[in-house]
Every structure is written in C-alpha cells, then in structure tokens.
Amino acid sequence: MERPAWAPRSIDISVPSVSRIYDYYLGGSHNFEVDREAARKAMTYLPGLPKIMQANRAFMRRAVRFAVEAGIDQFLDIGSGIPTFGNVHEVAQTAHPGARVVYVDHDPVAVAHSQAVLAGNEAADVVAADLRKPQEILSSPQVSSLIDLNRPVALLLVAILHFVEDTDDPYETVAQLREALAPGSLLILTHASYEGIPLSPERAESAVDVYKDIRNPLVMRSRDEIARFFEGYDMVEPGLVPMPLWRPESAPEDEDPYAFSGFAGVGIAA
C-alpha cells in the first residue's frame, strides 16, 4: 500500500482508524482502503451511517452558533477528528472573528491535517492528546495559550464518548473537565445509542461489532446513561433529543430516518 504524502510516517496505514472512517462517511479524502473497507462492512448492517454522521455535524454547527450567540468565544473540541468543511473554527470565527479554538485528538492523521488546516490561524491550534487524560489536555501549552479557563468555554464532546468504555470511567473524565471550567461554560455533546435507529437492535449490533473487530469498541448507551454526562449542567431547551430535533433550522420531518439515531444536547455549567 502506497503511503500518501499527507500521512505521517509514524502511523500504521494497515490498521483502521475511527477518525478516518468518520472522514470517509462524511465524504472526505483523508482515509485509506483499510478504513473504507471497515466503513463499508459496517454500512452493510447500518446503511444510514453517513446520514447519522451528517446529522451529527449539522448539530455541531448549530450548537457552535448558539454558543457564540450566548457570548462564548472560546471552544475546546475534544475528539475533533479530521477537519472537514464547516469545522468548529470556521463556524465560530465566521460568527465571531475573535473566537479561539483548540482541537484535541489522538489520531496522528487528524492532528497532522489539523495543523495544516490551521497554519497561519493564530486563534486556533491542535493538541495531540487523549480524552481519557483530561489533565494533560487542560495543562497543554496550546490550551494555556489560547483558552482562559477563568471565563466560559464551550466544551465539545461530539461523537467521542461512545468510544470510551465504562472501564475507563467516562463519567469521571467528563466531571474533571467540568470542574476545570468556569460557570456559564457549555457542554456540547452527541452520543450513539440503539434508541432511534430504524432497524432491529440485532442488525444494529452487527455494525457495532465491526468496531469491536478493529479494536475500537463502540459503546451504545441509553438516553438515561447519556443524560448522566450532564450532571452539574442545566440543560438548554429542548434538552437531550435526537440530533435533528435540537433547535432545527429546517423541518425535522424532512430528515432521513437514520438521522434520529442517538442523542444530542447542550448544558450550561452552574
């Protein structure tokens, strides 16, 4: 397999990556055949996966605009993935030219491509780090330089927590991040769930098994389990809902049925 010029020498291009699979679902070009093969296998069971990812991105953009309208000009996007059109910094800095954004990801391709996209943008940067080590993220030079933790921050955990297994205590991780943020900060979150998928749980589980096979288990949680991540936050209306129902800009009934898979919400730190 030939290594593209944009692929860091340090990565094994024979092993699938969830961020590159996500890039493929969104129509991006920063993925390898091994990623496309895994994505196509998952789509044989759950053909609406691209629609789910598109709904996820659309929610993220609406939530970022909401944050700017609420007066927030700092964004910490953990598990940001490979930049595609309509990134957090593009949406935030279009709405507020002075907005500051720090992306965080542990995938070397995501980090390398983010660095290329952000070259020359002094108000945005990227950290190579893992969500499961929140203190390393918070103490990183990039966060220290761009984010003032004494003022409200919009923390984005979009389509990332379902890749953190219960043994890694994701609730404690989210609590540590919350405790580091100033009152008035926002938590912007999406999470996969069997609830809302227009297929039998058995068929959806076969797609989940694909992620287990590539050693990136996808943890499907219930609405109540997802709601626990918002402890210490006051939910913004309309609460924790399927992605197309969170402050829609177009008629939800026009959305693909798969777009209603999983949940999205925004909370304000007390």
Side-chain angles (χ1 to χ4, degrees):
M1 183 187 303
E2 186 176 349
R3 182 182 297 271
W6 51 262
R9 303 296 304 178
S10 59
I11 69 168
D12 184 349
I13 62 176
S14 68
V15 177
S17 152
V18 293
S19 65
R20 299 195 304 267
I21 292 172
Y22 186 77
D23 178 67
Y24 174 73
Y25 289 143
L26 291 173
S29 59
H30 288 79
N31 50 76
F32 308 128
E33 180 55 33
V34 67
D35 306 307
R36 296 188 285 273
E37 181 180 347
R40 288 191 292 264
K41 185 176 180 181
M43 289 168 62
T44 61
Y45 304 107
L46 194 53
L49 278 165
K51 294 294 184 182
I52 296 171
M53 305 313 167
Q54 290 164 18
N56 187 77
R57 294 287 292 188
F59 159 77
M60 180 273 288
R61 291 190 287 267
R62 296 196 304 276
V64 168
R65 287 192 289 268
F66 168 83
V68 172
E69 291 168 3
I72 290 181
D73 61 0
Q74 305 184 103
F75 297 82
L76 180 58
D77 183 1
I78 303 180
S80 51
I82 296 169
T84 56
F85 177 74
N87 288 301
V88 172
H89 76 279
E90 292 174 338
V91 177
Q93 292 176 352
T94 296
H96 186 302
R100 297 186 170 206
V101 179
V102 174
Y103 293 112
V104 181
D105 208 285
H106 72 280
D107 186 315
V109 171
V111 173
H113 196 52
S114 296
Q115 290 170 334
V117 168
L118 298 174
N121 189 332
E122 295 182 356
D125 209 340
V126 60
V127 180
D130 193 311
L131 168 63
R132 292 169 294 186
K133 298 177 180 179
Q135 298 308 320
E136 289 185 12
I137 295 171
L138 295 168
S139 63
S140 67
Q142 296 91 332
V143 170
S144 299
S145 174
L146 288 177
I147 304 294
D148 180 358
L149 295 175
N150 294 311
R151 296 195 300 111
V153 176
L155 169 64
L156 288 93
L157 299 176
V158 175
I160 181 63
L161 286 167
H162 46 235
F163 290 113
V164 182
E165 297 183 89
D166 289 340
T167 51
D168 287 318
D169 200 352
Y171 297 105
E172 173 60 22
T173 295
V174 174
Q176 287 186 36
L177 290 166
R178 182 193 68 235
E179 290 166 4
L181 302 181
S185 293
L186 298 183
L187 172 59
I188 297 171
L189 180 151
T190 64
H191 198 295
S193 176
Y194 286 122
E195 297 175 39
I197 296 178
L199 288 174
S200 69
E202 294 77 19
R203 188 172 176 86
E205 189 173 359
S206 295
V208 172
D209 286 342
V210 173
Y211 285 88
K212 291 180 182 177
D213 291 343
I214 64 171
R215 299 182 182 179
N216 282 283
L218 182 58
V219 184
M220 305 290 269
R221 295 188 171 96
S222 68
R223 185 184 183 282
D224 288 345
E225 289 171 327
I226 298 167
R228 283 182 55 198
F229 289 114
F230 286 96
E231 290 183 2
Y233 291 90
D234 296 323
M235 295 300 295
V236 170
E237 289 294 333
L240 186 63
V241 295
M243 293 175 287
L245 299 182
W246 197 90
R247 302 193 174 216
E249 295 173 348
S250 58
E253 57 267 25
D254 294 336
E255 293 281 353
D256 187 283
Y258 280 100
F260 294 85
S261 306
F263 293 95
V266 176
I268 303 178

